[in-house]
Amino acid sequence: MSEIEIRELTKKFNVKEHTVTALDHINLSIEKGDIFGIIGMSGAGKSTLVRSINFLETPSEGQVLIDGVDLAGLSEKELRKKRSEIGMIFQGFNLLEQKNVLDNICFPLEIAGVKKKAARERARELLKTVNLEEKEKAYPSQLSGGQKQRVAIARALASDPKILLCDEATSALDPQTTESILQLLKDINEKLNITIVIITHQMSVVTRICKKVAIIENGILVEEGVVDEVFESPKSDAAKELILEKKTQYLPIDNLKEDRNIRIVFQDNSSYEPLVANLILNFNKPVNILKADAKNVGGKARGEMILGLPAGEELQDEMIDWIRQRGLIVTEVKEDV
Amino acid sequence: MFDEKVIQMILEGIRDTLYMTLVSTFFGYVIGLPFGIILNVTKKDGLKPNKIIYSIGDFICNIIRSVPFLILLILLIPFTRLVVGKSYGSTATIVPLVICAAPYIARVVEASLNEVDAGVIEAARAMGASNLQIIFKVMLVEAKVSLLNGVTITTGILLGYSAMSGTVGGGGLGDIAVRYGYYRWQTDIMIVTVVLLIVIFQIIQHLGSFIAARTDHRKR
């Protein structure tokens, strides 16, 4: 049984006289202990999707099952109990500005009726987990963004949740802080075996810590799978666009219209052969390197390169075959990507 | 310059003014605070929207607020007599002051609660908080500074209204100003009472702002 099971989930909003379908028959299973990424452009419906997992948004149709329990069948009180077992962190941190760090972390325990002394002990433990012991008396306004998110994570963990939902949790942070927050989430996942669902528009977040990914576009789930595989050979246009992270707009693709552009992904074992040099020597024709990048995907090094091939369809096909024979994954990059 | 009798009278006036202002602010909040919370919670995008309750509350609020205080004071005489047994003096003035202040306070409270970040309320819901917990542990706590500023403004306004009630025998400094300054042409006594009202107002305003700033943890 999956820890989170989403079946035929549809959410419609009424905006004046129009009905907007934010989510359209989404099916998704998230297993215990996974770090699951849900990625999409803004407005794709991913925030609505994550809010459906703890019923902050009530679905129009379909079901959400947590540990096999259908949330729609719960009473108001049972639902609140269930929500306390699902931690959540946000892009805007959403800390109580008038309470200090310690009281913020105690807050979910206070709601659950835990005695003050026990709550404070637990909060201090959690401050240790997120490395902020010295800030217990500080107020949120005195903290940096990264520190605020650490407090929010400690607060989300206070009630011992089995699931942690992250809604664009690193989008307001700079790259270094993002990295440290992601590392913290990964540690928490490993140490406490908490299932983590990450909503983001940044592919780098997904490739950094997620095991599995789902791609949402216009309320529809267009692609889903293991991060490695989706990164190596994205099938949907949305996935390709997200993986290229729009950097293509800086590429001089317009000037290379007759050419064919391909994307190659290198794995650890393929980085030794001087591929481009050998390709040129072999065919005696120039190729144009449009982009080259290295990424850390799930702890493994992955190289990525976009090549502009010389004219001649037959030659291009031969070149692609030659690269494929060397165990590399090749996908075509269209002009409009 | 004044004899002992006049000084005694002015001191009693200060006492009565403070008594009317502070007691009516207190009872104004006893009614106005829950009233304001209900308005905020039942409004269209509130915590628990309820069109009927909101419309009734909104209507009552607007009706009372659109009656000028002086007229309310006179209209309420039978009711005041019912509650405190007489219709003149400072205790009697508290009744119309409270009735006048409560809907005003409700609006001030409603607006203060509107300022609470929707994200923080959502976070509390995600933690499994009930609506009552959200009102008392999140909204009132986060809106604390704005609510305190509201208390200061309300107290200042009630100070002015209590003085106004002097025209119909309400007691306090306003009463002295009307009786001596207006009916007996003793300008000096009137000036003293006005200066005292200004001083009291300043103290209320500064004390209120000071307390609000001290309890605010948002910036430091």
Side-chain angles (χ1 to χ4, degrees):
Chain A
M1 184 177 64
S2 305
E3 177 140 57
I4 304 171
E5 181 96 38
I6 294 168
R7 288 184 193 154
E8 298 293 325
L9 180 73
T10 299
K11 176 74 188 182
K12 288 174 182 154
F13 289 106
N14 289 318
V15 187
K16 285 173 190 167
E17 273 104 66
H18 304 280
T19 305
V20 178
T21 306
L23 295 171
D24 198 355
H25 296 92
I26 304 270
N27 285 292
L28 208 56
S29 297
I30 300 173
E31 304 299 325
K32 175 132 198 71
D34 266 353
I35 301 184
F36 199 102
I38 296 172
I39 185 167
M41 299 294 180
S42 44
K46 52 195 192 308
S47 268
T48 311
L49 179 58
V50 77
R51 276 167 178 70
S52 303
I53 296 177
N54 58 5
F55 258 48
L56 285 179
E57 295 280 3
T58 318
S60 309
E61 289 164 43
Q63 290 175 300
V64 177
L65 291 89
I66 307 288
D67 282 328
V69 178
D70 186 351
L71 294 187
L74 299 179
S75 70
E76 185 65 33
K77 206 178 160 194
E78 289 167 324
L79 179 61
R80 289 206 301 270
K81 175 87 180 50
K82 200 85 199 166
R83 276 185 189 148
S84 72
E85 294 164 12
I86 304 174
M88 190 166 187
I89 57 173
F90 306 84
Q91 177 171 7
F93 321 120
N94 295 351
L95 299 174
L96 291 137
E97 297 282 322
Q98 302 290 4
K99 282 181 188 274
N100 68 20
V101 166
L102 200 66
D103 289 342
N104 259 290
I105 301 172
C106 288
F107 190 67
L109 300 170
E110 191 186 329
I111 283 173
V114 175
K115 288 237 165 60
K116 198 154 193 176
K117 204 175 157 224
R120 298 213 144 174
E121 261 170 51
R122 173 90 183 116
R124 291 206 171 91
E125 260 173 53
L126 287 160
L127 271 177
K128 234 178 259 176
T129 311
V130 300
N131 256 325
L132 272 182
E133 288 150 285
E134 73 285 358
K135 293 285 184 195
E136 74 168 58
K137 291 251 170 1
Y139 284 89
S141 62
Q142 300 162 319
L143 302 177
S144 69
Q147 289 171 330
K148 281 184 200 171
Q149 198 58 289
R150 280 172 188 272
V151 175
I153 291 171
R155 181 176 72 173
L157 295 177
S159 49
D160 271 318
K162 297 179 198 119
I163 298 167
L164 178 63
L165 307 176
C166 310
D167 183 20
E168 295 277 8
T170 58
S171 299
L173 304 173
D174 61 59
Q176 271 119 335
T177 315
T178 296
E179 169 61 28
S180 76
I181 293 292
L182 293 178
Q183 187 57 49
L184 175 64
L185 290 175
K186 197 166 189 176
D187 291 347
I188 288 165
N189 167 260
E190 281 161 11
K191 272 188 213 141
L192 308 172
N193 197 29
I194 291 178
T195 310
I196 298 182
V197 180
I198 292 182
I199 298 291
T200 182
H201 65 274
Q202 297 165 300
M203 194 64 190
S204 54
V205 169
V206 172
T207 55
R208 174 69 179 77
I209 65 166
C210 295
K211 288 168 197 159
K212 285 185 196 152
V213 63
I215 294 160
I216 306 271
E217 191 185 26
N218 297 328
I220 297 165
L221 195 148
V222 290
E223 194 163 341
E224 189 201 342
V226 177
V227 172
D228 269 11
E229 288 165 15
V230 174
F231 182 78
E232 277 163 15
S233 39
K235 290 177 193 78
S236 60
D237 288 342
K240 285 176 194 161
E241 198 173 336
L242 285 162
I243 286 165
L244 294 169
E245 286 181 341
K246 285 187 174 172
K247 281 180 192 154
T248 42
Q249 69 195 18
Y250 303 111
L251 300 180
I253 282 177
D254 280 351
N255 306 334
L256 300 153
K257 264 198 176 120
E258 60 274 69
D259 287 353
R260 209 157 143 194
N261 299 321
I262 57 167
R263 174 174 177 270
I264 307 171
V265 177
F266 297 84
Q267 296 162 334
D268 337 72
N269 55 357
S270 56
S271 307
Y272 303 107
E273 189 186 344
L275 179 100
V276 179
N278 284 353
L279 180 72
I280 295 166
L281 287 174
N282 195 54
F283 289 90
N284 215 3
K285 289 271 183 205
V287 295
N288 198 358
I289 300 175
L290 299 173
K291 180 196 173 188
D293 194 8
K295 278 195 176 118
N296 181 340
V297 181
K300 285 179 239 161
R302 285 281 188 286
E304 176 188 27
M305 191 180 271
I306 294 177
L307 296 181
L309 302 182
E313 205 173 329
E314 209 173 305
L315 173 72
Q316 288 167 351
D317 286 341
E318 275 175 43
M319 281 183 158
I320 290 169
D321 279 344
W322 185 89
I323 299 167
R324 283 204 172 120
Q325 277 162 25
R326 271 145 192 84
L328 295 168
I329 296 150
V330 181
T331 38
E332 300 240 2
V333 180
K334 284 191 209 88
E335 241 181 293
D336 57 340
V337 170
Chain B
M1 135 188 183
F2 295 128
D3 61 19
E4 218 164 282
K5 252 184 165 173
V6 174
I7 292 173
Q8 183 64 26
M9 178 185 71
I10 288 174
L11 285 177
E12 276 169 21
I14 294 173
R15 186 199 62 198
D16 288 348
T17 291
L18 287 176
Y19 166 71
M20 284 188 287
T21 308
L22 298 179
V23 172
S24 59
T25 304
F26 175 77
F27 282 106
Y29 267 89
V30 167
I31 301 169
L33 183 66
F35 194 178
I37 292 171
I38 290 169
L39 283 176
N40 185 281
V41 167
T42 57
K43 75 176 175 3
K44 208 174 141 211
D45 49 356
L47 214 49
K48 203 167 177 62
N50 187 319
K51 210 174 173 182
I52 296 169
I53 294 178
Y54 183 81
S55 308
I56 295 171
D58 190 52
F59 182 71
I60 294 172
C61 225
N62 290 345
I63 288 291
I64 300 177
R65 293 236 293 138
S66 50
V67 180
F69 176 65
L70 212 52
I71 294 169
L72 196 72
L73 201 67
I74 296 159
L75 276 177
L76 283 172
I77 286 175
F79 179 70
T80 307
R81 209 173 268 144
L82 197 75
V83 177
V84 294
K86 54 180 186 173
S87 65
Y88 56 91
S90 32
T91 305
T93 308
I94 288 172
V95 176
L97 278 177
V98 168
I99 304 271
C100 166
Y104 177 79
I105 292 169
R107 287 296 188 207
V108 171
V109 168
E110 184 192 4
S112 290
L113 297 181
N114 271 339
E115 288 169 25
V116 177
D117 183 2
V120 178
I121 294 172
E122 185 179 47
R125 283 183 69 207
M127 285 175 215
S130 66
N131 284 342
L132 277 180
Q133 284 174 322
I134 290 174
I135 292 167
F136 289 102
K137 290 176 188 281
V138 180
M139 290 167 70
L140 289 178
V141 173
E142 289 293 287
K144 185 177 64 185
V145 176
S146 177
L147 288 168
L148 281 172
N149 284 328
V151 174
T152 308
I153 295 170
T154 309
T155 314
I157 287 178
L158 288 179
L159 176 70
Y161 280 10
S162 77
M164 209 194 286
S165 71
T167 47
V168 290
L173 291 175
D175 197 20
I176 294 169
V178 171
R179 277 193 287 137
Y180 287 80
Y182 186 68
Y183 293 122
R184 295 195 199 171
W185 294 94
Q186 292 193 351
T187 316
D188 50 352
I189 292 183
M190 190 170 76
I191 288 171
V192 168
T193 55
V194 170
V195 169
L196 282 170
L197 283 172
I198 292 171
V199 170
I200 294 172
F201 187 90
Q202 289 289 334
I203 292 171
I204 291 170
Q205 184 62 49
H206 283 284
L207 196 67
S209 306
F210 176 74
I211 294 170
R214 272 300 288 270
T215 54
D216 192 359
H217 297 295
R218 278 173 301 187
K219 43 194 175 261
R220 197 175 278 176

